[in-house]
Amino acid sequence: MRRNRTVLLPVWAFGFVLATIGLGAPQPLRGQIGPSLTASDIVAQYGVPMKTRDGVTLYADIYRPRSSDRFPVILMRTPYDKSVSWAVSPVLRMVLRGFVVIIQDVRGRYTSEGEWYPFKHEQADGFDTVEWAAALPYSNGKVGMIGASYVGATQMLAAIAQPPHLAGIAPNMTASNYHEGWTYQGGAFEQWFDQSWTSQLAQNTLERLIRENTNAVIGAPTLPLANYPVFNFGQLPADAQLTAGLAPYYLDWLAHPDYDDYWKQWSIEEHFPNIAVPMLQVGGWYDIFNGGTLRNYVGAKTHGANNAARTQQHLLIEIGGHAGFGRHIGEVDFGPHATENGYTDVILDWYDFLFKGIQNEFATDKPVKLFVMGANEYRQEDDWPPPQAQLTKYFLHSAGKANSLRGDGSLSVLVPKSEAADAYVYNPANPAPTVGGPLCCDAEHMQPGPRDQRSVESRDDVLIYSTGPLARDLEVTGPVTATLFVKSSAVDTDFTAKLVDVTPDGFAQNLTEGILRMRYRASMESAALMNPGQIYEISVDLWATSNVFLRGHSLRLEISSSNFPRFDRNLNTGEEIKFARTSVAATNTILHDAQHPSALVLPVMTSK
């Protein structure tokens, strides 16, 4: 158990510590005390305990002004260690703007007690923490929450529990449904994220296991001395047995490929009518959870519990999200405006407006701000999707040979007549590889963001449909879908789609992408295999984008059946993914004729 400790941090010392942490490895902010050079001291309390309703103790660090006044609270609940630099770095500015800042380790993580299991305890623990924070002697009773990714999930889950003193949240880069858009997408398993995130989470679980089972007294009687056990839990199991011991939730995710009650119990989308607070949603066009960010904004605005929830929704969409920050994301320079709207600045303005009534940008009647790629600037909109966006169909065309960049596929607004279908062989043993895109959480081994797709487009199992060079700029802002008429020789397979912006020199920049597992073509709640050879009309959700295809650029659609390892390979057999290991090749076909007008559906912006 960590001892509760209070220190006074002069402003100069606090700033020096934050700067130092930013230059090195993540480390705790504690014990850096120097002579006071200003009258404005910050009180820092480390390891402050809080009991949950079921008796588990959670620990938080609290930073507040050294004052007898009461202040609104900004709360972060994190599974990633409350003392790391990225969590602590905004604290100085927030406290100096008149907020109490509380950063808490969630249940079962780092200093907090209990069992770690994603999503399971965040509603109850979030409710308890908000009410505890509101009752602290230096709190004025208003509590807001901040944070990204899973830290955003702790906000959304707390909000649907409706703690009375929660007055606003600001989820950054987080989902609306922990089945669709987190663990799965279009019925396909988000393999790269699910596995890399699980491996990272399991490290702290293993460290806790070691710490709780290290006692030299137990091993002291052991002879010979060479047999001394450094840990007391015996030998660690290997491979999948270790996964089951340290991360049982990963196996539960695989055991629930359908959208069933396991997922619905903590799905935000099932509980939009429970959200009763204003929200600022922050996302990124290349973020792995951006689809959920957009749905959270629309869902709460449409179905929120009260007028505050329905009318005080704000949305900010940046570029990279989990794929990166700054003006350079992936292989693209998005210009100097890309660095505007820093998260801490936006959060402070949000809570200044919400809690203090300061009339800043959030007081305007335009609740949406988007970064428009291509134009490379931010723009405010009246709503999402922008009302002036008109859905426009770009139909697929070819003479039956759209395979790869060498093929004859094209896109146009002309409705197809009599045209040959395009077919390719999808072999799970040789899947189309993931190149960039909305990836998380291991950029060292799988680079995210916008990257040249020509290496993927050179494959014969990837169909390519492109316009010619555009005669004028074309802005696409809003949801993107591909409506396709398909058939397969297999009982189950996947269809993937990717929207690409091609520069005059051939650089193929991925913008947004999607996938549909055919067994879930009708419903994510129940699987239904295909009849081989039967034609099906499907819709592949590519989420959304905002991009100006500049004059001279081309608009491109890629169609395939794999995007590995971002998504697991469909083995084409219809077996449950948890245990499937054998695969068969499938011949997959896209039809595009008068009776089967496959099309890319784009939200084309008209002049205002």
Side-chain angles (χ1 to χ4, degrees), residues 73-75 77 122-123 126-127 129-134 141-146 154-171 274-279 306 308 351 354-355:
V73 174
I74 295 179
L75 169 66
R77 303 190 63 251
E122 307 307 354
Q123 292 183 51
F127 184 105
T129 303
V130 167
E131 294 307 295
W132 165 77
K142 292 182 178 180
V143 179
M145 298 180 73
I146 61 169
T154 67
Q155 299 178 60
M156 298 300 300
L157 290 163
I160 67 177
Q162 295 188 335
H165 290 90
L166 184 63
I169 61 175
N274 294 85
I275 292 177
V277 295
M279 296 197 302
N306 54 25
Y351 284 119
L354 201 61
F355 290 171

Side-chain angles (χ1 to χ4, degrees), residues 31-175:
Q32 303 289 334
I33 305 175
S36 177
L37 299 180
T38 74
S40 300
D41 288 336
I42 296 174
V43 179
Q45 296 174 269
Y46 298 109
V48 181
M50 185 212 81
K51 284 282 188 184
T52 64
R53 65 189 67 181
D54 61 349
V56 172
T57 302
L58 309 182
Y59 289 92
D61 295 341
I62 302 177
Y63 309 88
R64 57 185 174 87
R66 186 185 183 189
S67 169
S68 59
D69 294 339
R70 295 172 181 264
F71 302 91
V73 174
I74 295 179
L75 169 66
M76 177 190 290
R77 303 190 63 251
T78 177
Y80 303 121
D81 188 355
K82 58 184 171 56
S83 63
V84 296
S85 60
W86 63 261
V88 178
S89 58
V91 166
L92 172 65
R93 294 180 58 199
M94 291 179 175
V95 174
L96 293 183
R97 285 273 278 265
F99 296 97
V100 174
V101 181
I102 300 177
I103 309 176
Q104 182 189 69
D105 289 329
V106 302
R107 181 183 296 235
R109 302 295 292 173
Y110 293 91
T111 63
S112 289
E113 297 175 356
E115 174 203 13
W116 161 248
Y117 194 103
F119 315 118
K120 184 175 182 179
H121 302 285
E122 307 307 354
Q123 292 183 51
D125 288 355
F127 184 105
D128 294 349
T129 303
V130 167
E131 294 307 295
W132 165 77
L136 291 170
Y138 33 80
S139 166
N140 70 0
K142 292 182 178 180
V143 179
M145 298 180 73
I146 61 169
S149 196
Y150 189 89
V151 188
T154 67
Q155 299 178 60
M156 298 300 300
L157 290 163
I160 67 177
Q162 295 188 335
H165 290 90
L166 184 63
I169 61 175
N172 183 10
M173 305 181 298
T174 200

